[in-house]
Amino acid sequence: MAKKGQKFRHYPFSLKMQAVQMRLQGVTKREVAERLGIHDVSRLKVWLRQYKLKGSEGLQDRRGGRKRPLQKDEYVRQLELENDVLKKW
């Protein structure tokens, strides 16, 4: 949980990939953090897990992205659900 006034660090994709590659080559987490200037060693564990699950896509920053537009059938389904809720109400 974040503490009041805490500053979060953001790391670029290239640094994350470099850190993951170093970990996969057998370099310790502490060494990787010291070499690349990563302040939170546990962050490496998260990046490695994301990389193993989703590949390089897992390391991309997805915050603030736009929602994709609804397709016609999805839009119709959403309206039908809204109508059902309103009828029951």
Side-chain angles (χ1 to χ4, degrees):
M1 179 156 206
K3 296 179 182 173
K4 186 176 180 181
Q6 182 177 2
K7 300 286 184 185
F8 292 98
R9 298 193 183 267
H10 302 283
Y11 298 100
F13 173 75
S14 58
L15 184 116
K16 293 177 186 179
M17 278 301 297
Q18 187 178 1
V20 167
Q21 294 303 324
M22 289 172 73
R23 279 295 294 145
L24 292 175
Q25 292 172 359
V27 181
T28 65
K29 284 186 269 189
R30 181 168 284 155
E31 283 182 42
V32 172
E34 288 174 2
R35 288 184 195 173
L36 299 179
I38 299 169
H39 296 280
D40 186 12
V41 177
S42 63
R43 184 84 341 228
L44 294 171
K45 184 178 176 183
V46 173
W47 292 343
L48 193 61
R49 183 175 356 111
Q50 290 174 341
Y51 181 77
K52 287 181 178 178
L53 288 175
K54 301 176 186 173
S56 62
E57 287 291 317
L59 299 178
Q60 296 285 343
D61 190 8
R62 298 274 180 232
R63 292 172 295 158
R66 291 184 174 195
K67 292 183 179 180
R68 65 177 177 81
L70 291 176
Q71 298 295 328
K72 184 178 179 181
D73 55 336
E74 292 173 336
Y75 182 70
V76 170
R77 179 71 183 138
Q78 182 180 359
L79 290 176
E80 288 173 348
L81 289 172
E82 289 176 9
N83 284 340
D84 290 341
V85 169
L86 290 172
K87 285 178 183 177
K88 288 180 182 178
W89 187 65

